[in-house]
Amino acid sequence: MCYPRFMFLKFKDEVSSILSNAVASAGFETDDTSLNESPHADISSSVAFKLAPKYRRSPKDICEVIYNNIKIPPDSYIERAETAGPYINFFVSRIFLNETTLRVLLDRENFGNLGYKGKVILEHTSANPDGPLHIGHIRNSVIGDTLARILKRAGYDVETQYYINDMGRQIAVVVWGLSNFKFDKTKKKDHAIAEVYINANKSLVDEKEHSPEVNGIMKEYETGNPETNKKFKDAIDTCMEGIKESLRRMNIHHDKFIWESQFVRSGSVNRMMDRIRKLDRAEIKDDALMVDLNDMGIQKSLVIQRSDGTSLYTTRDLAYHEWKTGQCDRMIDVLGADHKLISSQLKAMLRILNLKEPEIVIFEFVSLPEGSMSTRRGVFISADELLDEVEKAALLEVRKKRPDTDEEFKKKVASFVSIGAVRYDIVRVSPEKATTFDWAEAVDFEKQGAPFIQYAHARACSIIRNAGDEGIAFETFDPNVLLEEQEIALIKKLSCFENAIDSAARELKPNFLAIYARELADAFNQFYRYVPVLAAEPEFRAARLALVDCSRIVLANALDTLGITAPESM
RNA sequence: GGGCUCGUGGCUUAGCUUGGAUAUAGCGCCGGGCUUCUAACCCGGAUGUCGAGGGUUCGAAUCCCUCCGGGCCCGCCA
């Protein structure tokens, strides 16, 4: 038996095509069927409004004429169409509902794969290795990792990269600091590096005579002094060990770590500068190489090469993107709002050079109630501290709610609940929203966050488990008996998973999926409350168990795509 | 000063790209529900000049303009 690949998306396509035909046979012309989601229907069209001015007739009138030309074939995903004043409302059919359940049970953990093809390189986090990740950095990490998971589920071959800015002044400060200040071996390594970095910065401000030493270190690294190289590598490896540990704790993995210095060493930065020098728009000003980007809407000239001949961050970033261009179909960079200007300069330069431009996902800053964070000044809340505190609060919660369980179970639950809560809180809000960190909110488990969704999944597992214990089978079932309002609402919601993945992948908006997951959990909880499963008559019981299994699968897929554990028990 | 961006009930927030039916949801508040598959749950209620003003439109939270407020950026830093 062969089921159509997409559920809700296919329904939408079918409505669109049937409506287009109806519009045409009614004698109207438009390429926009104006389909919208609506509380009044499964999908709704306001096409009559669009046609009204052109044909000088009332929307209601036009709507009526189009409606009379709608022909729904048998076996359609569309049950019926209705007019409601100027609107045409469409409703899904029994076939659609039945096939949705069968589709989920067939595809299982692959449900949601849209068959998109191509290689994507997604860069995220890329925090400077001068200290631990803080709560601003992990907004980048969580958005980036969730996007990578969404794109993977949609079918893309995704490679994630962490770009290590090892040639910046801040790393030179760390290297200088390591030979002048104590490295606290009792601390987690990235935190110990931060301590050195903060002390070094303080003394560089107080005792300005050390500043040339740092400049010297930087210069030696750019030219490639072996002894200096080793110092840099040791410092960075040390810090990255701690950063990777924090990322691992949050279920975040990078496929590759790319050092910006490799592009200097390989000569590709020099080749890039030579190539740019030959451009008509390039000019030498005070011995520095500049490019005029005024016609690209960027007033500021971009400096490509310093007057001493060395490269700049942007130049190296150009070489990095040139390198990526040859290896993928799409490049995505997740960057903080401070990179808005520089990323548009980068894109403009790549366009001029006829190279692939990255798609940039910008997220706004996370600040503390007292102001913005700074690793350099030591003003930040680390990801480790946040996770520790949230985990502590979660443990209290588990003790309260599951006093019957052993300590090991409680700790395990506290761990995945806290990580889920942190990830979900970050990913549920639009990246373009600037946020202020709030401890009370971070440790609040009352709100409908990740634990709400995880709990719905655990409930579904529990029913399946109980059915197994009682020897109740549901391999064969009749989906036609799923007629309760909550059952139908739940199946419709299951069918929208593909839609959620599709729009999140298309628009690079991970928050779409976060909202979907919450709505799915909501639909399942209502079903759970009103529709008995194990206590129902056998034919209903089998179909409902199948629906519970579908819910379990899609909840698990949604949680997995959000990088959050889908627990069997909590 | 210039550029970009955000402003939606007490708080957090969806929708804005592509204008359409009573503006989404959560927290908190008020009231109800555990002899029933895990109550980290469910149900009901109160709470909105969608920052302000103007414009376009049959119709604006959504598009345009002005203003106000917050954030970010404007280095031969990264």
Side-chain angles (χ1 to χ4, degrees):
Chain A
M1 206 166 180
C2 181
Y3 297 105
R5 195 63 208 161
F6 310 116
M7 299 312 305
F8 190 79
L9 293 174
K10 176 115 190 285
F11 165 70
K12 198 172 168 181
D13 287 348
E14 206 181 330
V15 168
S16 181
S17 111
I18 281 171
L19 186 57
S20 295
N21 290 340
V23 167
S25 46
F28 302 115
E29 233 180 287
T30 181
D31 49 1
D32 177 14
T33 48
S34 303
L35 293 180
N36 293 300
E37 283 171 32
S38 162
H40 308 278
D42 293 322
I43 205 152
S44 165
S45 170
S46 58
V47 69
F49 280 111
K50 294 280 177 296
L51 297 167
K54 193 171 162 193
Y55 293 93
R56 295 166 179 277
R57 292 172 68 178
S58 79
K60 196 169 182 298
D61 234 29
I62 291 173
C63 185
E64 207 60 41
V65 180
I66 295 172
Y67 174 74
N68 289 330
N69 280 279
I70 290 176
K71 289 185 187 68
I72 300 169
D75 299 334
S76 170
Y77 275 4
I78 306 167
E79 167 73 23
R80 64 180 201 284
E82 279 176 2
T83 58
Y87 299 94
I88 308 173
N89 292 331
F90 294 87
F91 299 87
V92 297
S93 66
R94 192 67 237 176
I95 294 165
F96 172 86
L97 297 172
N98 292 353
E99 287 190 4
T100 296
T101 58
L102 298 173
R103 182 83 248 160
V104 174
L105 292 173
L106 202 65
D107 284 356
R108 307 194 79 82
E109 67 274 11
N110 286 321
F111 184 68
N113 187 329
L114 307 177
Y116 288 161
K117 293 279 171 273
K119 169 82 180 263
V120 178
I121 294 181
L122 191 152
E123 182 211 327
H124 73 81
T125 307
S126 303
N128 291 327
D130 52 20
L133 296 177
H134 62 54
I135 55 175
H137 296 130
I138 63 168
R139 191 173 190 189
N140 189 323
S141 311
V142 172
I143 289 170
D145 183 65
T146 309
L147 273 176
R149 288 166 182 269
I150 287 167
L151 293 165
K152 265 181 213 164
R153 183 156 293 277
Y156 291 105
D157 173 16
V158 183
E159 177 178 311
T160 48
Q161 297 189 351
Y162 187 123
Y163 185 55
I164 298 177
N165 301 126
D166 58 329
M167 304 206 67
R169 189 181 164 81
Q170 71 290 122
I171 303 307
V173 171
V174 170
V175 169
W176 177 79
L178 281 169
S179 50
N180 288 280
F181 296 92
K182 186 177 167 287
F183 179 84
D184 188 344
K185 286 188 175 155
T186 64
K187 284 189 169 166
K188 185 162 169 277
K189 289 180 175 177
D190 45 348
H191 290 259
I193 289 283
E195 190 179 52
V196 168
Y197 179 60
I198 293 159
N199 284 331
N201 272 297
K202 223 178 280 168
S203 103
L204 285 167
V205 171
D206 296 343
E207 307 151 51
K208 296 229 183 337
E209 68 272 17
H210 297 304
S211 198
E213 297 171 31
V214 173
N215 294 343
I217 290 170
M218 230 161 69
K219 192 104 190 186
E220 279 176 40
Y221 190 57
E222 170 127 12
T223 50
N225 175 318
E227 207 176 306
T228 310
N229 287 3
K230 185 170 184 316
K231 282 185 189 166
F232 271 70
K233 188 172 185 313
D234 288 348
I236 292 165
D237 284 345
T238 302
C239 192
M240 287 307 297
E241 206 180 298
I243 287 176
K244 284 179 192 173
E245 193 184 320
S246 303
L247 288 170
R248 209 163 29 238
R249 185 175 176 187
M250 291 187 289
N251 302 329
I252 295 169
H253 162 85
H254 285 86
D255 297 309
K256 284 186 182 159
F257 291 81
I258 311 296
W259 294 47
E260 65 170 335
S261 56
Q262 81 177 60
F263 302 104
V264 173
R265 311 268 185 259
S266 72
S268 69
V269 168
N270 277 329
R271 284 193 293 278
M272 178 60 70
M273 291 191 290
D274 289 343
R275 185 170 167 190
I276 292 169
R277 195 172 296 113
K278 293 192 188 98
L279 295 170
D280 289 341
R281 65 205 308 142
E283 53 174 340
I284 306 290
K285 218 159 125 190
D286 304 326
D287 293 331
L289 172 61
M290 326 260 291
V291 177
D292 177 40
L293 299 172
N294 226 313
D295 58 319
M296 320 282 288
I298 297 162
Q299 284 74 27
K300 289 220 68 98
S301 285
L302 180 63
V303 182
I304 296 293
Q305 185 177 30
R306 292 194 187 94
S307 38
D308 66 1
T310 58
S311 65
L312 286 105
Y313 168 84
T314 317
T315 322
R316 300 187 291 264
D317 210 14
L318 279 168
Y320 172 42
H321 281 83
E322 179 190 37
W323 176 75
K324 281 195 280 190
T325 290
Q327 306 179 48
C328 64
D329 303 294
R330 286 175 77 180
M331 277 183 271
I332 299 168
D333 299 351
V334 181
L335 301 168
D338 53 337
H339 281 69
K340 273 183 201 169
L341 175 63
I342 203 162
S343 62
S344 57
Q345 288 170 326
L346 176 81
K347 285 177 77 163
M349 270 317 298
L350 290 168
R351 198 175 323 150
I352 290 162
L353 296 166
N354 208 13
L355 292 166
K356 200 176 301 168
E357 290 172 50
E359 298 161 66
I360 310 277
V361 176
I362 296 281
F363 68 93
E364 282 290 341
F365 271 46
V366 179
S367 56
L368 300 177
E370 54 271 29
S372 53
M373 284 182 283
S374 159
T375 305
R376 184 172 45 81
R377 288 183 289 126
V379 182
F380 63 88
I381 294 171
S382 71
D384 299 315
E385 190 184 350
L386 171 68
L387 290 164
D388 288 346
E389 289 303 314
V390 177
E391 191 167 330
K392 249 186 256 170
L395 190 57
L396 290 178
E397 209 68 21
V398 190
R399 286 198 215 287
K400 209 161 39 182
K401 297 191 199 278
R402 298 300 302 275
D404 54 308
T405 59
D406 60 42
E407 192 61 16
E408 195 192 342
F409 176 87
K410 290 188 181 96
K411 280 190 173 150
K412 197 181 78 189
V413 172
S415 167
F416 65 63
V417 160
S418 57
I419 290 155
V422 167
R423 286 190 66 131
Y424 192 84
D425 275 350
I426 289 170
V427 87
R428 60 179 250 276
V429 322
S430 289
E432 67 267 18
K433 230 91 160 182
T435 60
T436 304
F437 180 78
D438 180 358
W439 272 116
E441 204 185 319
V443 299
D444 177 16
F445 290 99
E446 294 311 309
K447 61 184 182 226
Q448 260 186 16
F452 175 81
I453 305 160
Q454 291 173 310
Y455 187 64
H457 179 267
R459 275 180 148 180
C461 289
S462 175
I463 295 178
I464 303 282
R465 197 167 44 238
N466 291 339
D469 290 349
E470 293 171 36
I472 302 166
F474 57 94
E475 283 76 37
T476 55
F477 68 97
D478 178 9
N480 286 298
V481 303
L482 299 169
L483 291 165
E484 297 292 338
E485 182 192 332
Q486 291 83 4
E487 292 173 323
I488 290 169
L490 177 55
I491 299 170
K492 285 180 186 173
K493 198 47 90 177
L494 292 170
S495 78
C496 288
F497 180 57
E498 293 172 322
N499 199 36
I501 295 291
D502 189 50
S503 10
R506 266 178 212 284
E507 301 183 38
L508 303 179
K509 295 236 180 190
N511 53 313
F512 287 1
L513 182 64
I515 291 159
Y516 169 79
R518 198 205 61 215
E519 288 174 349
L520 176 61
D522 207 13
F524 179 76
N525 279 330
Q526 282 175 46
F527 161 79
Y528 183 93
R529 165 67 182 79
Y530 287 104
V531 185
V533 178
L534 297 175
E537 292 301 309
E539 59 164 331
F540 289 99
R541 191 175 62 190
R544 286 173 188 172
L545 273 168
L547 179 54
V548 170
D549 203 23
C550 287
S551 307
R552 183 189 62 77
I553 289 166
V554 180
L555 281 166
N557 290 2
L559 284 168
D560 174 68
T561 312
L562 290 168
I564 298 171
T565 303
E568 288 181 19
S569 176
M570 66 186 275

